[in-house]
Structures are given as C-alpha cells and as structure tokens.
C-alpha cells in the first residue's frame, strides 16, 4: 500500500491536477471588448491592435515611451506635509496614502525625470492615474514647480503629461492653491524662452485642465482621451441640453481648436523630438545654397559677344 500511496497516487494526481492560470495573461479592450494577450499588448504600447483604443499606462511606462531609448533619470521630489488638514471620511487620509503608495512605483501621483527627446535635453513630469485618480495635491504642485525649475537650470524643454481627475479633495483649499502655483512655475519656463509642451491623456479634467494643462506652447492629445473640466452629466444638467457623443474627446477638441495635434502613442517620441528641434534650432538644418542673380548672369553671357 505504501508504494501505491507514496509513488503511484502522486504521479496520477500530477497528471490530472488542474494548473492555476494567472489572471493577468489576457486583457479585455474597453472599446471593442476584444481579448488581447498581455505580451502583444505590451509590445503595442498598450494600444488595442483591433480598434486602436489607447489604454491607460503607468508613469514608468510613459517615461520609457517618451524618452530616447527609454533612458532617463528621475529626481527626488520635495517633502511636503502628509496630512495638513487631518482629513478623514470613511478612512483617514494617511491610510489612503499608504494604500496608494503600496501599489504605486512613486510616492505620489507625479514623477519627474530628465533625459533626451530627439537628442535634446528634456524634463518630463508625468501623472499616474492609478495613484488616487492622479489627483493634484501639494506633492503634485511641488513636483510641477520642481520640474519647471529643473528645466530652467538645464536649459531644457519641459513636457507635462497630465492624467488626473482634478484637485485632491482631502487637501481642500491647499490643493486648489496648486493651480496658481503651477501656472506661475510654467510662466517662468516661458519667460526663459524654453519650449513647454503638454500631452493630454485619458483623463485630463478638473483643476488640472483649468491650470497648467492648457498652457502649452503646443497642445498634443492621445487618440480618444477624455479632456475637459466638469463632467458630462454636470454640464448637461446645467445647460439642459444633450451633448454630442464625442464631446470632450481629443478628436472633438482638435476639431474645435482646443488642441493642436492628436498623435498616436507610437509616434509621440518622434513628434516631440521634431517639435523641440524646430523650436530650438539655432542653425539651418541644411547647407544654404546661394541664389544666382539672373541679371548678372545675363550680363556675363553677353560680354564675350560684345568683345567680338
């Protein structure tokens, strides 16, 4: 019996035992509802290969996509008061922060890094929507200010990539003050003559869209991104009218002159590099060919015949 129980039974159980399949191998597209294998999705920059829907990505993935060769260096953001208002709803604000930080790569909803885009020194500030909806609190405001100061010090272009639901309600009026602080920081970048670009991703709403997110020298949006201030239901109940189906999408804003370009994720690095090069180029991109004077040419051609 020992031979049967200790050797034969384990062998049979190993053959018929159901293996556990990880749940994250397949992802369902929210637009077309097609199932996509995780490796194919990562290879395509988290863009649906069936319908072109641009899915949300983390701040780390965003930085790897935008910088040349995915190479960059992040900076340590200034320390800020953790819970200045001692806020509590169903949970303490400090508990919500700890839970968000346990899942996220960075300490708050913003990451700042520097590197090269198109061969030009560039500073990029990226929001992470998975961190409390990318809400803007004191830490995010300090991060934008730090990014602007770093761009000025390095004489570099500044790119901000918002993905936010707006102000962080747990920080109240202190959160709303970041709208003015970030706007003033961006103004310093512009005063120094440095390029400032904004990449509007899904979603960009609330106090973020009402401040630095709409101040770019050139406004670029990802396809299908939701961009606006108030929500659709709030607007419809206020004006008592039905809004278009594509209202507050990147394509709608492009059609109405609110954004300058809608660029697929795979082309963002090349697009930003080209724009920075056009703005910062101090010399002609090619050799200057002198234009010959037609009058002097005709005069020279007549000279030999006159001598004869």
């Amino acid at each position: 019996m020992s031979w049967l129980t200790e050797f034969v039974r384990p062998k049979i159980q190993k053959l018929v035992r159901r293996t556990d399949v990880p749940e994250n191998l397949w992802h369902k597209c929210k637009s077309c509802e097609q199932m996509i294998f995780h490796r194919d999705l990562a290879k395509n920059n988290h863009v649906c290969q069936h319908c072109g829907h641009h899915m949300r990505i983390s701040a780390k993935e965003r930085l790897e996509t935008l910088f040349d060769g995915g190479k960059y260096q992040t900076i340590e953001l200034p320390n800020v008061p953790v819970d200045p208002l001692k806020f509590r709803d169903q949970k303490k604000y400090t508990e919500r922060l700890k839970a968000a930080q346990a899942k996220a790569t960075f300490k708050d909803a913003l990451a700042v890094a520097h590197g090269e885009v198109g061969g030009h020194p560039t500073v990029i500030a990226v929001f992470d929507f998975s961190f409390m909806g990318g809400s803007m609190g004191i830490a995010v405001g300090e991060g934008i200010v730090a990014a602007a100061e770093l761009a000025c010090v390095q004489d570099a272009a500044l790119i901000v990539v918002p993905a936010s639901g707006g102000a962080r309600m747990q920080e109240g009026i202190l959160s709303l003050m970041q709208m003015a602080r970030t706007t003033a920081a961006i103004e310093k970048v512009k005063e120094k003559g440095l390029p400032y670009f904004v990449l509007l991703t899904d979603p960009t709403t609330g106090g973020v869209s009402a401040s630095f997110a709409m101040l770019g020298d050139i406004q670029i949006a990802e396809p299908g991104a939701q961009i606006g201030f108030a929500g659709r239901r709030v607007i419809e109940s206020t004006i008592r009218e039905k809004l278009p189906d594509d209202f507050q999408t990147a394509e709608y804003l492009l059609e109405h002159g609110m954004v300058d370009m809608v660029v697929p994720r795979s082309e963002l690095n090349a697009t930003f590099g080209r724009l920075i090069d056009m703005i910062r180029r101090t010399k002609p991109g090619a050799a200057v060919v002198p234009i010959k004077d037609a009058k002097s040419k005709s005069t020279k051609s007549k000279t030999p015949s006159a001598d004869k």
Side-chain angles (χ1 to χ4, degrees):
M1 288 294 293
S2 60
W3 177 76
L4 291 174
T5 57
E6 294 179 8
F7 182 78
V8 177
R9 180 181 292 177
K11 289 287 186 181
I12 295 174
Q13 288 177 343
K14 188 176 180 180
L15 291 173
V16 300
R17 184 181 296 148
R18 183 180 177 181
T19 57
D20 295 330
V21 179
E23 296 179 357
N24 58 350
L25 290 181
W26 294 86
H27 298 268
K28 186 177 182 180
C29 175
K30 293 182 179 179
S31 180
C32 66
E33 298 186 349
Q34 290 285 339
M35 298 300 293
I36 309 169
F37 190 55
H38 71 107
R39 290 181 182 173
D40 295 334
L41 190 62
K43 187 178 179 180
N44 204 32
N45 293 324
H46 292 267
V47 177
C48 178
Q49 59 196 23
H50 303 286
C51 67
H53 173 66
H54 283 55
M55 302 179 186
R56 295 170 183 169
I57 58 177
S58 66
K60 184 176 181 294
E61 291 169 326
R62 181 74 64 184
L63 291 172
E64 292 173 351
T65 302
L66 293 176
F67 280 109
D68 294 347
K71 297 179 180 179
Y72 61 89
Q73 287 184 331
T74 57
I75 67 170
E76 191 73 23
L77 299 182
N79 293 323
V80 299
V82 177
D83 187 9
L85 302 180
K86 306 300 179 184
F87 189 90
R88 180 182 184 128
D89 44 45
Q90 294 178 344
K91 290 183 180 180
K92 289 182 179 181
Y93 177 40
T94 52
E95 294 178 2
R96 293 189 182 278
L97 282 175
K98 289 178 181 178
Q101 290 170 351
K103 298 177 182 178
T105 306
F106 303 99
K107 293 182 179 180
D108 212 283
L110 185 82
V112 178
H114 59 98
E116 289 188 349
V117 175
H120 296 274
T122 307
V123 177
I124 302 181
V126 180
F127 278 70
D128 191 347
F129 188 77
S130 64
F131 193 104
M132 297 186 70
S135 53
M136 181 172 64
I138 301 175
V140 171
E142 287 288 350
I144 297 294
V145 172
E149 291 176 349
L150 182 62
C152 292
V153 170
Q154 295 187 350
D155 193 38
L158 175 61
I159 302 174
V160 178
V161 188
S164 172
R168 188 170 295 178
M169 69 175 212
Q170 289 89 348
E171 296 185 16
I173 190 64
L174 298 175
S175 175
L176 296 178
M177 287 179 180
Q178 307 312 311
M179 296 171 63
R181 293 188 71 239
T182 54
T183 301
I186 297 305
E187 193 60 31
K188 290 182 180 180
V189 175
K190 293 189 174 185
E191 286 175 358
K192 199 168 180 181
L194 299 173
Y196 171 56
F197 305 109
V198 179
L199 172 60
L200 301 165
T201 65
D202 183 63
T204 301
T205 58
V208 170
S209 65
S211 54
F212 62 87
M214 287 297 177
L215 298 177
D217 298 327
I218 298 177
Q219 300 284 124
I220 300 177
E222 282 192 336
Q226 180 187 355
I227 306 163
F229 179 68
R232 184 187 187 94
R233 288 184 300 174
V234 174
I235 298 174
E236 286 182 339
S237 62
T238 302
I239 65 176
R240 297 180 181 179
E241 290 185 11
K242 180 69 175 175
L243 296 171
D245 293 336
D246 61 346
F247 182 71
Q248 291 186 332
T249 62
E251 291 74 16
Y252 183 90
L253 268 66
L254 177 65
E255 184 180 349
H256 291 77
M258 294 296 291
V259 300
D260 300 302
M261 307 168 69
V262 176
V263 181
R265 189 171 293 164
S266 59
E267 302 175 12
L268 286 172
N269 174 266
T271 301
F272 277 121
R274 186 167 60 251
L275 291 173
I276 296 172
D277 186 64
M278 287 190 294
I279 293 175
R280 307 220 67 187
R281 184 188 300 164
T282 57
K283 297 180 180 179
V288 178
V289 180
I291 301 175
K292 293 182 179 180
D293 189 356
K295 188 175 180 179
S296 62
K297 185 178 179 181
S298 61
T299 304
K300 289 179 180 178
S301 63
K302 290 179 181 179
T303 304
S305 59
D307 292 339
K308 288 180 181 179

